Amino acid sequence: MVVKVELQAPIEKKTVIDKLTRTRNLSDGELLLLLATDEYDSELAQSADAVRRSVYGKDVYIRGLIEFSNYCKNNCFYCGIRQGNEAVKRYRLSREQILSCCKEGYGLGFRTFVLQGGEDPYYTDGMMCEIVSSIKSMFGDCAVTLSLGERSRGSYQALYDAGADRYLLRHETADDEHYSRLHPESMSLKARKECLWNLKEIGYQVGAGFMVGSPYQTIANIISDIRFLQELRPAMIGIGPYITHRETPFWNFSNGSLELSLRLLSIIRLMFPYALIPATTALGTIAPNGRELGLAHGANVVMPNLSPVGVRKLYELYEDKICTGEEAAECRFCLDRRVTGAGYEIAVHRGDVKDEAMYGQV
Ligand code: SAH
């Protein structure tokens, strides 16, 4: 994609932020102005936080993340659990182990469980449907979010019919060429997008998103990502910094920047006032107060780890991932302190997306 920058009188950054807040959109040139700078902009963050508060108040929605398998048939060049990484000790959780994580999580106030794993064909549709329907029948007031990668439309439909409410599948990058630099030939942006549209049509609350500062990413790529999100209008938008992993082909690339990640969170909040936007674990990994900063820049969701402590270190998408040592209860209390300290409050309910029709249109 070619980004056109009109040559005209210099645009004031403040004017651009005001326009973004008012119209929820910007031209490519205006986005470039906000993105291609290292300057910290408190005004952008303040506008994003004001919009977030106008839609979600002080509420922070929490999701209990259960990383149930680190087997993966894919070989994404950035990911630590890629099939080609022979240094990983692989594990799978049983239905009973997953249910016991949910039970513990329920007691700690979680009303959404996110089941995430590598693309692991061991979990057939039948098995996954049984896991989803068991969770839904044991915890009737809870939502189930799946993050299992690419599956057939029939599989997504079966899982939805079994009770799954939401699905996270980051598009990773909306530029074909960039996509092919991050993934092996067997994977394509076209297939990824098709999955996302299928999920949306079936009725899931869908999450898309991308890594900030992934290898070879340009500002033009990020603008394409934003344009794709505007087309898809997902309920959830996950963006976090790329973090390098020694056992991947990208071992010598550097991490994405905290500043750009935060600026993007704010821009995305201003464009999608209704969206559920997590302050990601990756953000908390590149800076000790990364998740608090994420909340202050427009994020309204956090996804602490509910996986059994014994397997947490094995789900190593990137290096030095935080929260791999603590028990779930410790994590939950630590999170409470962080969220309250940042001026927000944890909400104990499913935390569904707000109606886009009320908040999404200008
Ligand atoms: N198999 C599932 C889950 C993938 S892991 C799926 O395909 O959706 C969840 C997300 O972690 C990925 O979508 C990717 O954006 C992110 N991720 C993977 N490796 C990463 C890395 N090295 N740094 C930061 N984020 C990473």
Side-chain angles (χ1 to χ4, degrees), residues 3 31-32 35-37 217-224 260:
V3 174
L31 276 171
L32 188 67
L35 291 170
T37 169
Q217 185 184 55
T218 62
I219 296 290
N221 293 153
I222 295 178
I223 296 176
S224 304
L260 185 56

PDB file of all heavy atoms in Angstrom, residues 3 31-32 35-37 217-224 260:
ATOM      1  N   VAL A   3       1.296   5.103   0.950  1.00  0.00           N
ATOM      2  CA  VAL A   3       0.697   6.125   1.795  1.00  0.00           C
ATOM      3  C   VAL A   3       1.008   7.483   1.199  1.00  0.00           C
ATOM      4  O   VAL A   3       2.164   7.827   0.977  1.00  0.00           O
ATOM      5  CB  VAL A   3       1.251   6.039   3.227  1.00  0.00           C
ATOM      6  CG1 VAL A   3       0.728   7.188   4.052  1.00  0.00           C
ATOM      7  CG2 VAL A   3       0.882   4.712   3.847  1.00  0.00           C
ATOM      8  N   LEU A  31      -2.606  10.075  10.006  1.00  0.00           N
ATOM      9  CA  LEU A  31      -2.170   8.941  10.838  1.00  0.00           C
ATOM     10  C   LEU A  31      -0.652   8.883  10.893  1.00  0.00           C
ATOM     11  O   LEU A  31      -0.058   8.643  11.952  1.00  0.00           O
ATOM     12  CB  LEU A  31      -2.709   7.625  10.266  1.00  0.00           C
ATOM     13  CG  LEU A  31      -4.132   7.263  10.676  1.00  0.00           C
ATOM     14  CD1 LEU A  31      -4.632   6.060   9.889  1.00  0.00           C
ATOM     15  CD2 LEU A  31      -4.192   6.956  12.182  1.00  0.00           C
ATOM     16  N   LEU A  32      -0.047   9.138   9.748  1.00  0.00           N
ATOM     17  CA  LEU A  32       1.419   9.127   9.676  1.00  0.00           C
ATOM     18  C   LEU A  32       2.002  10.145  10.657  1.00  0.00           C
ATOM     19  O   LEU A  32       2.984   9.873  11.347  1.00  0.00           O
ATOM     20  CB  LEU A  32       1.838   9.440   8.239  1.00  0.00           C
ATOM     21  CG  LEU A  32       3.313   9.296   7.913  1.00  0.00           C
ATOM     22  CD1 LEU A  32       3.723   7.833   8.003  1.00  0.00           C
ATOM     23  CD2 LEU A  32       3.599   9.813   6.494  1.00  0.00           C
ATOM     24  N   LEU A  35       1.866   8.657  14.023  1.00  0.00           N
ATOM     25  CA  LEU A  35       2.613   7.411  14.236  1.00  0.00           C
ATOM     26  C   LEU A  35       4.125   7.574  14.067  1.00  0.00           C
ATOM     27  O   LEU A  35       4.897   6.906  14.743  1.00  0.00           O
ATOM     28  CB  LEU A  35       2.107   6.324  13.276  1.00  0.00           C
ATOM     29  CG  LEU A  35       0.695   5.825  13.569  1.00  0.00           C
ATOM     30  CD1 LEU A  35       0.180   4.940  12.441  1.00  0.00           C
ATOM     31  CD2 LEU A  35       0.666   5.066  14.895  1.00  0.00           C
ATOM     32  N   ALA A  36       4.522   8.450  13.150  1.00  0.00           N
ATOM     33  CA  ALA A  36       5.954   8.537  12.842  1.00  0.00           C
ATOM     34  C   ALA A  36       6.655   9.551  13.734  1.00  0.00           C
ATOM     35  O   ALA A  36       7.346  10.433  13.262  1.00  0.00           O
ATOM     36  CB  ALA A  36       6.134   8.893  11.372  1.00  0.00           C
ATOM     37  N   THR A  37       6.451   9.428  15.018  1.00  0.00           N
ATOM     38  CA  THR A  37       7.130  10.344  15.938  1.00  0.00           C
ATOM     39  C   THR A  37       7.506   9.583  17.201  1.00  0.00           C
ATOM     40  O   THR A  37       6.840   8.620  17.564  1.00  0.00           O
ATOM     41  CB  THR A  37       6.214  11.533  16.311  1.00  0.00           C
ATOM     42  OG1 THR A  37       6.823  12.240  17.384  1.00  0.00           O
ATOM     43  CG2 THR A  37       4.844  11.077  16.752  1.00  0.00           C
ATOM     44  N   GLN A 217       7.995  -4.624   9.838  1.00  0.00           N
ATOM     45  CA  GLN A 217       6.779  -3.795   9.837  1.00  0.00           C
ATOM     46  C   GLN A 217       7.126  -2.335   9.546  1.00  0.00           C
ATOM     47  O   GLN A 217       8.089  -1.807  10.095  1.00  0.00           O
ATOM     48  CB  GLN A 217       6.104  -3.882  11.209  1.00  0.00           C
ATOM     49  CG  GLN A 217       4.767  -3.174  11.305  1.00  0.00           C
ATOM     50  CD  GLN A 217       4.221  -3.232  12.734  1.00  0.00           C
ATOM     51  OE1 GLN A 217       4.888  -2.835  13.683  1.00  0.00           O
ATOM     52  NE2 GLN A 217       3.023  -3.753  12.885  1.00  0.00           N
ATOM     53  N   THR A 218       6.326  -1.710   8.674  1.00  0.00           N
ATOM     54  CA  THR A 218       6.508  -0.287   8.391  1.00  0.00           C
ATOM     55  C   THR A 218       5.286   0.461   8.917  1.00  0.00           C
ATOM     56  O   THR A 218       4.255  -0.159   9.226  1.00  0.00           O
ATOM     57  CB  THR A 218       6.593  -0.034   6.868  1.00  0.00           C
ATOM     58  OG1 THR A 218       5.344  -0.453   6.285  1.00  0.00           O
ATOM     59  CG2 THR A 218       7.733  -0.803   6.232  1.00  0.00           C
ATOM     60  N   ILE A 219       5.390   1.786   8.957  1.00  0.00           N
ATOM     61  CA  ILE A 219       4.235   2.583   9.381  1.00  0.00           C
ATOM     62  C   ILE A 219       3.089   2.368   8.387  1.00  0.00           C
ATOM     63  O   ILE A 219       1.917   2.302   8.761  1.00  0.00           O
ATOM     64  CB  ILE A 219       4.612   4.084   9.482  1.00  0.00           C
ATOM     65  CG1 ILE A 219       5.671   4.309  10.560  1.00  0.00           C
ATOM     66  CG2 ILE A 219       3.382   4.945   9.771  1.00  0.00           C
ATOM     67  CD1 ILE A 219       5.226   4.133  11.985  1.00  0.00           C
ATOM     68  N   ALA A 220       3.439   2.229   7.096  1.00  0.00           N
ATOM     69  CA  ALA A 220       2.395   1.982   6.082  1.00  0.00           C
ATOM     70  C   ALA A 220       1.654   0.682   6.396  1.00  0.00           C
ATOM     71  O   ALA A 220       0.430   0.598   6.240  1.00  0.00           O
ATOM     72  CB  ALA A 220       3.014   1.927   4.687  1.00  0.00           C
ATOM     73  N   ASN A 221       2.379  -0.338   6.870  1.00  0.00           N
ATOM     74  CA  ASN A 221       1.721  -1.600   7.264  1.00  0.00           C
ATOM     75  C   ASN A 221       0.731  -1.346   8.394  1.00  0.00           C
ATOM     76  O   ASN A 221      -0.388  -1.872   8.384  1.00  0.00           O
ATOM     77  CB  ASN A 221       2.747  -2.631   7.773  1.00  0.00           C
ATOM     78  CG  ASN A 221       3.698  -3.136   6.702  1.00  0.00           C
ATOM     79  OD1 ASN A 221       4.812  -3.544   7.001  1.00  0.00           O
ATOM     80  ND2 ASN A 221       3.282  -3.080   5.447  1.00  0.00           N
ATOM     81  N   ILE A 222       1.139  -0.540   9.357  1.00  0.00           N
ATOM     82  CA  ILE A 222       0.259  -0.268  10.508  1.00  0.00           C
ATOM     83  C   ILE A 222      -1.004   0.457  10.029  1.00  0.00           C
ATOM     84  O   ILE A 222      -2.112   0.170  10.495  1.00  0.00           O
ATOM     85  CB  ILE A 222       1.002   0.551  11.593  1.00  0.00           C
ATOM     86  CG1 ILE A 222       2.155  -0.291  12.161  1.00  0.00           C
ATOM     87  CG2 ILE A 222       0.051   0.993  12.699  1.00  0.00           C
ATOM     88  CD1 ILE A 222       2.998   0.408  13.211  1.00  0.00           C
ATOM     89  N   ILE A 223      -0.819   1.371   9.072  1.00  0.00           N
ATOM     90  CA  ILE A 223      -1.996   2.077   8.535  1.00  0.00           C
ATOM     91  C   ILE A 223      -2.927   1.062   7.837  1.00  0.00           C
ATOM     92  O   ILE A 223      -4.147   1.113   8.004  1.00  0.00           O
ATOM     93  CB  ILE A 223      -1.567   3.250   7.626  1.00  0.00           C
ATOM     94  CG1 ILE A 223      -0.819   4.287   8.489  1.00  0.00           C
ATOM     95  CG2 ILE A 223      -2.777   3.887   6.931  1.00  0.00           C
ATOM     96  CD1 ILE A 223      -0.239   5.461   7.738  1.00  0.00           C
ATOM     97  N   SER A 224      -2.346   0.100   7.120  1.00  0.00           N
ATOM     98  CA  SER A 224      -3.184  -0.961   6.515  1.00  0.00           C
ATOM     99  C   SER A 224      -3.914  -1.754   7.602  1.00  0.00           C
ATOM    100  O   SER A 224      -5.076  -2.148   7.408  1.00  0.00           O
ATOM    101  CB  SER A 224      -2.344  -1.967   5.722  1.00  0.00           C
ATOM    102  OG  SER A 224      -1.601  -1.327   4.756  1.00  0.00           O
ATOM    103  N   LEU A 260       5.294   3.404  20.879  1.00  0.00           N
ATOM    104  CA  LEU A 260       4.432   3.209  19.711  1.00  0.00           C
ATOM    105  C   LEU A 260       3.224   2.332  20.079  1.00  0.00           C
ATOM    106  O   LEU A 260       2.104   2.585  19.635  1.00  0.00           O
ATOM    107  CB  LEU A 260       5.229   2.589  18.552  1.00  0.00           C
ATOM    108  CG  LEU A 260       4.473   2.446  17.231  1.00  0.00           C
ATOM    109  CD1 LEU A 260       3.912   3.776  16.755  1.00  0.00           C
ATOM    110  CD2 LEU A 260       5.374   1.850  16.139  1.00  0.00           C
TER     111      LEU A 260
END
